[in-house]
């Protein structure tokens, strides 16, 4: 009995430490990016990408704070805790689907706003969305697959934790179509880049900064999502307390911090470049779709 109490206290200590780390990392990133957000979001006309940024930024913060406070940092009754746990997992699925939409919208822009590309990629995304729904309903929402139990150490020390009752194989199988879809997106982006580099080489011009940047971010997101899919599967593998804590720290911070940064960093680069179309939103600007030598300064623009 004493050993069980000591093990539970050890797990609670790691849970609370990781929770504080999540709150610190997400809050620090928000403070760092807030000035850019004011400049590129709140003081400008909103576009589709602006709305997507707003959703992933603030929905991500909500997810991170719920993940940080769940499980021990604050006491939550078992009945409520189970509902919050299920909400967290469904929220991550929504967040990852929104991240896919961001990649699709960037590819749509890279392909000269091709409606065919947009509709095909959105059509292929629908089965992925259905898969996320099925996984959340079959794995994360069923008490027979995963349950939430209250651990009582003393009358004043109680916390809830999750217990996994099946192995990682269903989660691994479910991640394969998602990874294949991301491979498709990154291949399309690299194909555009190769074509762009070939055309610029023939014209003896430097590659466009923004095309290269967008493709680089596609590759970065692919690596991030691949790591996240692996993590979402291995949490079912009965990890040690330390390993599970660091895995959850990555899952609850990295995607929620990096995805908004991939959007706002492009806006920041565009604002600091000598773009002749300075009053134009980046998504509609010719500076990343047309050779610089062919551009003419915008009438009435000022430095």
């Amino acid at each position: 009995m004493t050993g069980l109490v000591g093990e539970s206290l050890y797990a609670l200590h790691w849970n609370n430490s990781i929770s504080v780390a999540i709150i610190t990392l997400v809050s620090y990133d928000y403070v760092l990016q807030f000035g850019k957000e004011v400049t590129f979001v709140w003081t400008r006309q909103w576009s589709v990408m602006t709305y997507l940024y707003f959703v992933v930024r603030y929905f991500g913060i909500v997810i991170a704070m719920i993940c940080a406070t769940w499980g021990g940092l604050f006491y939550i009754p078992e009945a409520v805790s189970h509902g919050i746990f299920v909400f967290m997992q469904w929220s991550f699925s929504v967040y990852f689907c929104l991240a896919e939409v961001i990649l699709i919208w960037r590819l749509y822009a890279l392909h000269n706003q091709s409606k065919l590309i947009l509709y095909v990629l959105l059509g292929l995304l629908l089965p992925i969305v259905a898969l996320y729904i099925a996984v959340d309903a079959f794995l994360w929402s069923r008490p027979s697959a995963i349950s939430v139990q209250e651990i009582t150490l003393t009358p004043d020390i109680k916390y809830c934790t999750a217990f996994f009752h099946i192995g990682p194989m269903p989660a691994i199988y479910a991640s394969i179509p998602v990874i294949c879809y991301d491979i498709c997106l990154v291949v399309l982006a690299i194909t555009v880049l190769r074509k762009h580099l070939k055309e610029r080489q023939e014209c003896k011009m430097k590659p466009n900064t923004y095309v290269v940047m967008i493709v680089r971010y596609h590759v970065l997101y692919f690596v991030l999502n691949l790591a996240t899919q692996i993590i979402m599967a291995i949490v079912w593998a009965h990890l040690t307390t330390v390993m599970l804590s660091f895995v959850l720290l990555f899952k609850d911070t990295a995607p929620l911090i990096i995805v908004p940064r991939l959007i706002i960093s492009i806006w920041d680069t565009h604002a600091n470049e000598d773009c002749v179309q300075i009053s134009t939103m980046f998504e509609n600007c010719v500076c990343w779709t047309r050779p610089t030598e062919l551009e003419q300064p915008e009438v009435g623009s000022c430095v």
Side-chain angles (χ1 to χ4, degrees):
M1 184 66 181
T2 304
L4 181 60
V5 172
E7 183 180 341
S8 298
L9 281 172
Y10 182 69
L12 179 61
H13 170 73
W14 270 100
N15 175 85
N16 291 347
S17 299
I18 294 301
S19 296
V20 172
I22 292 172
I23 294 173
T24 302
L25 289 172
V26 173
S27 301
Y28 181 65
D29 176 73
Y30 180 74
V31 171
L32 287 181
Q33 299 298 312
F34 183 71
K36 296 178 181 179
E37 182 177 312
V38 171
T39 302
F40 304 124
V41 177
W42 300 110
T43 60
R44 295 194 179 187
Q45 182 180 359
W46 284 39
S47 64
V48 172
M49 191 58 67
T50 309
Y51 286 106
L52 288 172
Y53 169 84
F54 178 82
V55 173
V56 295
R57 164 55 82 188
Y58 288 96
F59 186 45
I61 290 175
V62 170
I63 296 173
M65 294 307 166
I66 293 176
C67 291
T69 55
W70 185 89
L73 192 61
F74 298 101
Y75 172 70
I76 304 174
E78 182 177 337
V80 178
S81 186
H82 181 266
I84 294 176
F85 179 83
V86 173
F87 173 79
M88 288 191 302
Q89 307 312 319
W90 283 80
S91 296
F92 271 110
S93 297
V94 173
Y95 188 89
F96 292 136
C97 288
L98 289 171
E100 302 285 11
V101 172
I102 291 172
L103 296 183
I104 291 172
W105 196 256
R106 289 299 193 204
L107 281 172
Y108 165 66
L110 283 177
H111 285 83
N112 297 319
Q113 298 185 345
S114 169
K115 298 292 185 181
L116 177 62
I117 289 291
L118 179 63
Y119 295 151
V120 169
L121 293 179
L122 288 176
L124 292 175
L125 180 62
L126 292 178
I128 301 299
V129 174
L131 177 63
Y132 272 118
I133 294 173
V135 169
D136 288 339
F138 177 74
L139 290 181
W140 297 101
S141 301
R142 290 191 309 130
S144 59
I146 184 171
S147 61
V148 175
Q149 299 178 19
E150 183 175 282
I151 306 296
T152 302
L153 301 177
T154 70
D156 298 324
I157 303 178
K158 302 177 183 179
Y159 72 97
C160 290
T161 188
F163 290 90
F164 298 87
H165 305 303
I166 61 176
M169 295 311 298
I172 292 175
Y173 293 142
S175 67
I176 293 175
V178 179
I179 294 172
C180 291
Y181 183 77
D182 286 334
I183 291 174
C184 175
L185 295 184
V186 79
V187 167
L188 283 174
I190 293 174
T191 301
V192 172
L193 178 61
R194 290 187 60 183
K195 180 181 178 182
H196 173 76
L197 293 177
K198 182 178 179 181
E199 291 175 351
R200 288 300 178 105
Q201 186 176 14
E202 291 174 353
C203 299
K204 296 182 179 180
M205 298 173 61
K206 293 182 178 180
N208 187 288
T209 302
Y210 306 107
V211 174
V212 175
M213 181 180 294
I214 290 173
V215 174
R216 185 190 305 132
Y217 287 169
H218 269 72
V219 175
L220 178 60
Y221 176 79
F222 168 73
V223 174
L224 174 67
N225 196 39
L226 177 62
T228 304
Q229 292 298 324
I230 294 173
I231 284 173
M232 296 290 281
I234 65 175
V235 295
W236 295 82
H238 306 292
L239 303 175
T240 64
T241 298
V242 177
M243 290 182 62
L244 181 61
S245 297
F246 281 108
V247 162
L248 294 179
L249 176 63
F250 178 87
K251 179 181 75 71
D252 296 344
T253 56
L256 310 179
I257 290 175
I258 293 177
V259 172
R261 275 179 169 265
L262 296 186
I263 301 175
I264 208 165
S265 62
I266 295 180
W267 294 340
D268 187 37
T269 302
H270 180 249
N272 289 290
E273 291 284 336
D274 295 327
C275 175
V276 296
Q277 301 284 332
I278 57 175
S279 69
T280 306
M281 288 293 293
F282 172 75
E283 287 78 7
N284 302 319
C285 189
V286 299
C287 69
W288 64 285
T289 58
R290 196 168 68 185
T292 305
E293 286 77 0
L294 300 180
E295 299 172 11
Q296 298 297 326
E298 184 178 14
V299 177
S301 64
C302 58
V303 178

